[in-house]
Amino acid sequence: MAQATLTPAQHRRRRLPDLVFQMGLPLALLLVVLFFAWSSPAFLVPSNLESVLVNNFTLLAIVSIAMTLAVASGGIDLSVGTALDFASLLFVSLIAAGQPFGIALLAGLLGGLGAGLFNAFLIVGLGITPFLATLGTLFIGRSVQQLTTGGGIPIYLSKAKVPEAATFLAHGDILGIATPLWVVTILIVLFTVLLRATPFGRRVTAIGVQPAVAWYSGLPVRRDLVLVYLLSALVVAVAGLMLSATVNAYVPSSGNAFLLNAIGATFIGTTLDRRGRPNVPGTVLGVLLLAVVANGLLLIGWNFYWQQVGTGVLIFLVLVASFASRRWRKAG
Amino acid sequence: MSMVVEQAGGERADLRRLGTLALRAGSLLAFVAVLVFFSATAPFFLSFFNFTNVIAQSAILAILAFGMTVVIIGGGGNVVTGGIDLSVAANLGLCAAVYASLIQAGQGDAVAILATLLTGLTVGATNAFAVVAVGILPLLATLAVMNVAAGLELVLTENTVLSASTPFLMAINNIGPLGVPNLAWILLVVAVALILLVQFTPMGLRLQAVGEHREAARAAGLPVARYVAATYLVSGLFAALGAILSVAYLSGSSTGSAELLLGVVVTALLGVVFSRRLVPTVGGTLLAALFIGFLGNGFQLLNISSYWVSGVQGALILLVVAATSVLRRKES
């Protein structure tokens, strides 16, 4: 409900919190970087920054892009871990069975897609809310993995069996920049454009904001939602392949570790948008914030346990700051 | 307006009532059928000892799910924007760590109980502050708090099991009156008290009003914010209570309490089908917790691999939710 006219004073009053709200995340990121640069000489050096990006950022960023897509469509995908694990399971078992890299890669992507297809069937076909549908997928996925691995025994690849292409995917570089960074950058650009600048992206946003209106306007809501959950699973499957290539193994149910941080990053990212909508650049900044804090706390000597507390408190504070200013803005 | 709709859709409403009845009767029938099936096939299933034992083993899950149920009742059923408390399991872990470390430090049970309850309430109060005062989405706020609580637990326990054994804890774990384990008695007493409080007192009815239609409740002059805040405090308190039982049951803190979260969510959601109007109720949650408990127990006795359990739980949620959503769709 926009007011027809605003006095200049009202304008000013409104714009300040608006700005605080939108700039909260970049500002927090900047402060955190400055703080760690000041407190640890090992932080602001190229090798450490690359390690932050490759080790802390890449996989979570990819999973979070998928989450952003689902949340933008008004849903959520709690089964990102399942798609990741399925991709990893198929990829690693086929490599272990002596199949060529290309076949294993394809099978991995299809495995992830399978989880997405199941979600799409539940959400679009049966009309189950995304939260519950993907929760069900998560549970069933866990059973499937336990049954196929004798209760959760990891599959390791011996050094001799790891194809060169897999090593390149995880540890190689193109033009001096690590391959994982290329992959994540391409996905970020692709999905930023997809959500922001294509008819599909605008339809997804419309469905997320006003599903009923989108339906009455004749938008292909069902088809688009199917696409959203398939795409989400496919993107996550890429993360699954990269994880298996990095550790040369499939570890059952390892994908769930990303779930909560991906949700956190996505919702922290919504603060970057003027209307509080999920958006890929915001999500990426959110993941970056989490990655920098995890790395920085380690460098200044916090052990793993205190890191978790520190990260949690920081997320909490960012949320409080941005939601408080959102509320202030509404009241102003 | 709603009256007109009701008159026009009288027949439909009848149909829907019939469907609801069928679902509710169906879910109770399914419960009974499962019990009969296990009684006929599983050795020792139908014995006093086994029955009371399952009830005792369900106590911790059920009590956490009670807290979750109260939050959902007060916050509304929409899982993303409504009430949900993702921090319950981590809160239990933290509370159990507090209890066990105080016992290890040579404090008595009274001090440990007090500190545990205070810890649980503090976590609940943090949730209440974030959700009610700041206006953060419950899903998000409790997610952040969950991370902090899990981190603090790790700091206290350094990811080890702190054993704790006192006469008080052993008494909780003993067989009580009528040969029924004390844990089962505690569960029944807590359940009855909470059912009376939520279902049969003016305060409980107001709480339901707040959850079902917040604007209407506000217009009717109810202190909505206070009720919603109270639900998170209750949830925190129940996490602390669950922690005391958990310390007694496991003779110490446990490192895997975060694993409980999804089971708690499933139990609270599954409870919906055991209520007359398909809304979250304490009684429904109790039945759901027992249902899940008996299911796991029967599987164990039949020597069916435990790997199936989470898959069956997942399928169960989907079945239930699909049935409810079909009924809801008929209504609109």
Side-chain angles (χ1 to χ4, degrees):
Chain A
M1 278 275 264
Q3 251 167 287
T5 52
L6 290 174
T7 64
Q10 272 174 322
H11 245 307
R12 241 173 288 131
R13 247 205 338 266
R14 261 179 195 216
R15 265 171 49 201
L16 182 67
D18 228 22
L19 214 61
V20 173
F21 179 70
Q22 272 177 268
M23 295 318 289
L25 175 57
L27 221 60
L29 185 58
L30 186 71
L31 283 178
V32 165
V33 167
L34 285 178
F35 172 74
F36 286 126
W38 169 72
S39 54
S40 166
F43 178 74
L44 212 55
V45 293
S47 64
N48 183 57
L49 293 183
E50 188 177 355
S51 144
V52 170
L53 288 178
V54 174
N55 299 328
N56 301 50
F57 173 77
T58 306
L59 292 179
L60 181 60
I62 297 178
V63 176
S64 302
I65 289 172
M67 184 64 77
T68 307
L69 191 63
V71 177
S73 76
I76 195 160
D77 188 350
L78 300 184
S79 67
V80 281
T82 312
L84 191 152
D85 290 331
F86 280 10
S88 171
L89 172 62
L90 280 171
F91 177 73
V92 172
S93 7
L94 284 183
I95 297 261
Q99 293 292 326
F101 176 76
I103 302 271
L105 191 82
L106 203 65
L109 292 177
L110 285 178
L113 216 50
L117 200 63
F118 190 59
N119 283 333
F121 163 70
L122 295 173
I123 294 165
V124 178
L126 297 183
I128 301 177
T129 55
F131 185 95
L132 297 174
T134 54
L135 186 68
T137 306
L138 191 165
F139 269 71
I140 294 172
R142 182 185 291 173
S143 254
V144 169
Q145 290 180 62
Q146 286 185 329
L147 288 166
T148 47
T149 59
I153 301 163
I155 305 173
Y156 295 103
L157 291 176
S158 60
K159 258 240 154 66
K161 274 205 165 158
V162 180
E164 252 172 56
T167 314
F168 174 73
L169 186 64
H171 306 289
D173 66 279
I174 303 172
L175 303 174
I177 294 173
T179 329
L181 290 184
W182 283 105
V183 175
V184 73
T185 309
I186 290 170
L187 284 174
I188 290 170
V189 172
L190 216 62
F191 278 85
T192 306
V193 172
L194 185 74
L195 258 186
R196 184 156 293 183
T198 66
F200 172 73
R202 283 198 292 273
R203 288 202 303 271
V204 168
T205 306
I207 294 168
V209 178
Q210 288 280 3
V213 174
W215 189 78
Y216 281 118
S217 316
L219 299 187
V221 173
R222 290 164 65 88
R223 193 193 69 198
D224 283 344
L225 280 180
V226 169
L227 275 178
V228 162
Y229 287 94
L230 288 183
L231 268 178
S232 159
L234 192 64
V235 171
V236 172
V238 173
L241 297 178
M242 295 186 52
L243 176 67
S244 345
T246 306
V247 298
N248 290 331
Y250 154 76
V251 183
S253 299
S254 52
N256 277 339
F258 297 100
L259 173 61
L260 297 170
N261 280 342
I263 296 178
T266 301
F267 279 96
I268 288 179
T270 61
T271 58
L272 193 70
D273 185 75
R274 197 159 45 90
R275 286 179 299 274
R277 298 297 311 161
N279 61 98
V280 175
T283 301
V284 170
L285 283 186
V287 176
L288 211 52
L289 183 70
L290 294 180
V292 167
V293 170
N295 171 269
L297 290 180
L298 189 74
L299 285 183
I300 62 171
W302 286 28
N303 68 21
F304 176 76
Y305 309 133
W306 278 110
Q307 269 177 53
Q308 197 159 350
V309 179
T311 320
V313 169
L314 184 88
I315 297 178
F316 187 74
L317 290 180
V318 172
L319 289 175
V320 167
S322 59
F323 275 83
S325 65
R326 189 186 290 190
R327 185 164 268 202
W328 179 30
R329 183 175 56 158
K330 268 189 197 148
Chain B
M1 197 184 84
S2 75
M3 257 172 53
V4 179
V5 173
E6 231 162 71
Q7 275 168 2
E11 245 170 71
R12 263 200 215 159
D14 281 346
L15 262 180
R16 177 169 183 268
R17 226 166 286 144
L18 207 68
T20 311
L21 202 70
L23 181 64
R24 181 163 181 265
S27 48
L28 277 175
L29 264 177
F31 196 171
V32 173
V34 164
L35 290 185
V36 169
F37 173 74
F38 284 139
S39 307
T41 53
F44 312 116
F45 181 80
L46 191 65
S47 65
F48 179 76
F49 175 77
N50 189 51
F51 255 63
T52 53
N53 231 4
V54 172
I55 298 175
Q57 282 166 3
S58 310
I60 295 164
L61 180 74
I63 281 175
L64 282 188
F66 286 164
M68 181 76 86
T69 307
V70 171
V71 170
I72 297 177
I73 291 176
N78 183 322
V79 272
V80 177
T81 59
I84 194 161
D85 184 355
L86 296 183
S87 70
V88 278
N91 192 2
L92 176 137
L94 175 62
C95 288
V98 166
Y99 197 111
S101 49
L102 281 174
I103 295 295
Q104 288 209 334
Q107 298 289 341
D109 282 306
V111 174
I113 291 173
L114 204 68
T116 304
L117 293 180
L118 271 178
T119 309
L121 276 177
T122 309
V123 173
T126 314
N127 285 325
F129 165 77
V131 170
V132 177
V134 186
I136 305 178
L137 287 179
L139 183 77
L140 212 49
T142 56
L143 183 76
V145 170
M146 176 191 97
N147 275 327
V148 178
L152 288 174
E153 182 202 342
L154 285 174
V155 168
L156 269 181
T157 63
E158 308 208 303
N159 211 11
T160 56
V161 173
L162 305 177
S163 57
S165 180
T166 65
F168 169 71
L169 292 174
M170 280 191 266
I172 290 181
N173 220 10
N174 263 346
I175 303 287
L178 303 176
V180 175
N182 279 328
L183 276 172
W185 281 117
I186 294 171
L187 173 60
L188 293 180
V189 168
V190 169
V192 169
L194 196 62
I195 289 173
L196 288 178
L197 186 74
V198 172
Q199 241 70 38
F200 294 100
T201 64
M203 196 174 76
L205 293 179
R206 288 191 202 114
L207 177 68
Q208 293 181 41
V210 167
E212 296 236 333
H213 207 309
R214 189 170 292 194
E215 294 311 315
R218 189 171 288 138
L222 294 184
V224 170
R226 218 178 302 161
Y227 273 94
V228 176
T231 62
Y232 289 96
L233 289 176
V234 168
S235 177
L237 198 64
F238 274 58
L241 181 62
I244 297 175
L245 302 187
S246 166
V247 171
Y249 185 66
L250 302 170
S251 311
S253 73
S254 120
T255 54
S257 39
E259 299 282 306
L260 285 172
L261 174 62
L262 289 173
V264 172
V265 173
V266 167
T267 307
L269 295 176
L270 197 60
V272 168
V273 284
F274 290 113
S275 82
R276 215 173 341 162
R277 291 182 301 127
L278 300 182
V279 293
T281 58
V282 177
T285 302
L286 177 67
L287 283 179
L290 293 178
F291 186 41
I292 289 175
F294 278 115
L295 213 57
N297 175 255
F299 271 34
Q300 214 171 5
L301 291 177
L302 281 180
N303 249 336
I304 299 176
S305 153
S306 65
Y307 310 152
W308 283 99
V309 172
S310 86
V312 169
Q313 281 182 14
L316 214 61
I317 329 169
L318 294 178
L319 209 69
V320 162
V321 178
T324 354
S325 80
V326 167
L327 286 174
R328 294 244 166 86
R329 214 183 290 171
K330 261 191 202 145
E331 170 192 30
S332 58

